[in-house]
Amino acid sequence: MRINRTLAAISIGFLLLGCNPKDKTIKIGLLMDTLQTERWQHDRDAFVKRCEELGAKVLVQVANGNDATMNSQAENLLTQGVSALVVIPHNGTASATIVEAAHKANVKVIAYDRLIMNSDLDLYVSIDAVGVGARQAEYLVKRMPKGNYVIIEGAPTDNNAALLRQGQMQVLQPYIDKGDIKIVGDQWAKDWLPVEALKIMENTLTRVGNKVDAVLSSNDGMAGGAIQALAEQKLAGKVLVTGQDADLAACQRIAEGTQTMTIYKSLTEEAYKAAEMAVAMAKGEPLTEKTSMVPNGKKDVPSILLVPMSVDKDNMMATIIADGFQKKDEVYKTLAAVNPEAAESKEAIESKVTEPVKK
Ligand code: BGC
């Protein structure tokens, strides 16, 4: 009787924790900082799809920018018996504790897109962020080799923001040293928030009397904020503005002419790669993929880094749209209302598109 009761308690415990001892399905934990920025929804969907194709189940948790929440979500996933953890950290330094906790439970950790610093991380899957920054700056200096630039960097808590800065400065520094490019504003935006970029841009425009030629915005969301501030001064479309992510709203602004470019990153490829690696790790298979090494302060982390690409209105059809990343009708939906002539001439570009451009 006592044994029966104990057994019953154990099975109830398993049911509560979602671990049916007979269920051999591999479980992967996906810890996400946020779903606020459009891209992360795409990452989540592609990651879950690929894991399921490979026979694994994904348990997703979103921390909404809160480090303590992410830590307790990690503990919770470990208790639920995940065999691998994939983490998109809010704070690359604070999340080192997640790696420690996972390793104590014999679970390997992959940092997805954003590096986890000072930890014994097992793998990093991302898109070359230094390359993203360099491409943004290269695009601007080609078109505006002299002028007043505003730089809006991402979250200081995200290592990607620092890597972007590194790539941007590699390109800009010689122009700054020559005195051709003058940096009239240079700030980091908490949590990559568009509203922070709006404020930074409004203050900068006031301070320099609207004398701005180019805005080096590190992502699309913040480009949206900066463009709102430019529009308030009737400058939208007159100032070059960069971005990153190929968000729908950014692609629409590129079509309309208020944003100049974005960086298109194949999120499907990134998510699929991470899913494949996570499932292999969960099965205890060795890593066979070719990796490079990225230092995180504690070790050189084996890393898979994919290649980003610059997109503007001229190659949007042949890249983002031809790949099916954004839908043509959605991207050009707003154009006809803003600029009917441009909407008509876009029909001509469309007819030229046959197949996706190789990256
Ligand atoms: C990602 C960007 C994204 C930003 C804000 C970065 O770590 O690489 O693609 O725009 O976070 O979410």
Side-chain angles (χ1 to χ4, degrees), residues 37 39-40 113-114 158 160 192 219 244-245 265:
T37 306
R39 70 156 287 180
W40 301 118
D113 203 84
R114 300 173 174 173
D158 178 357
N160 278 343
W192 300 86
N219 83 349
Q244 154 183 215
D245 290 341
K265 311 193 287 191

Side-chain angles (χ1 to χ4, degrees), residues 170-218:
Q170 277 167 10
V171 176
L172 292 186
Q173 202 60 54
Y175 293 82
I176 298 171
D177 293 344
K178 267 192 282 176
D180 287 351
I181 286 176
K182 196 167 160 221
I183 306 299
V184 296
D186 186 2
Q187 281 183 59
W188 299 68
K190 182 183 178 291
D191 288 345
W192 300 86
L193 290 173
V195 67
E196 292 284 318
L198 168 69
K199 279 191 255 161
I200 291 171
M201 200 62 216
E202 281 176 343
N203 293 340
T204 311
L205 287 169
T206 308
R207 188 166 38 77
V208 302
N210 284 354
K211 290 200 177 57
V212 170
D213 300 298
V215 180
L216 180 42
S217 161
S218 286

Side-chain angles (χ1 to χ4, degrees), residues 133-332:
R135 279 167 178 76
Q136 292 169 328
E138 270 158 13
Y139 190 96
L140 291 183
V141 297
K142 239 185 186 172
R143 284 146 189 94
M144 187 70 66
K146 289 183 184 187
N148 288 350
Y149 277 46
V150 177
I151 305 178
I152 308 179
E153 300 291 8
T157 44
D158 178 357
N159 185 58
N160 278 343
L163 296 177
L164 284 164
R165 168 86 178 184
Q166 196 185 317
Q168 292 162 351
M169 281 306 168
Q170 277 167 10
V171 176
L172 292 186
Q173 202 60 54
Y175 293 82
I176 298 171
D177 293 344
K178 267 192 282 176
D180 287 351
I181 286 176
K182 196 167 160 221
I183 306 299
V184 296
D186 186 2
Q187 281 183 59
W188 299 68
K190 182 183 178 291
D191 288 345
W192 300 86
L193 290 173
V195 67
E196 292 284 318
L198 168 69
K199 279 191 255 161
I200 291 171
M201 200 62 216
E202 281 176 343
N203 293 340
T204 311
L205 287 169
T206 308
R207 188 166 38 77
V208 302
N210 284 354
K211 290 200 177 57
V212 170
D213 300 298
V215 180
L216 180 42
S217 161
S218 286
N219 83 349
D220 285 340
M222 299 195 304
I227 290 165
Q228 196 179 322
L230 289 169
E232 286 161 9
Q233 301 302 317
K234 309 245 175 319
L235 288 174
K238 295 184 182 142
V239 174
L240 303 180
V241 182
T242 63
Q244 154 183 215
D245 290 341
D247 284 356
L248 175 59
C251 292
Q252 290 172 334
R253 288 192 296 264
I254 291 174
E256 291 162 16
T258 53
Q259 183 170 329
T260 323
M261 62 88 75
T262 187
I263 298 288
Y264 173 43
K265 311 193 287 191
S266 177
L267 305 183
T268 308
E269 215 183 314
E270 187 182 7
Y272 277 24
K273 194 54 84 189
E276 285 154 18
M277 296 298 112
V279 173
M281 274 181 178
K283 288 183 179 163
E285 291 168 4
L287 182 68
T288 50
E289 196 79 15
K290 213 171 149 267
T291 54
S292 50
M293 289 296 173
V294 175
N296 77 344
K298 180 166 186 181
K299 71 184 263 196
D300 286 338
V301 183
S303 303
I304 299 173
L305 299 180
L306 306 172
V307 181
M309 111 186 253
S310 290
V311 172
D312 62 10
K313 66 175 176 4
D314 295 332
N315 64 344
M316 189 148 62
M317 275 291 196
T319 54
I320 294 170
I321 293 172
D323 270 8
F325 187 75
Q326 297 291 0
K327 292 194 183 71
K328 186 179 72 186
D329 293 350
E330 295 282 322
V331 168
Y332 293 101

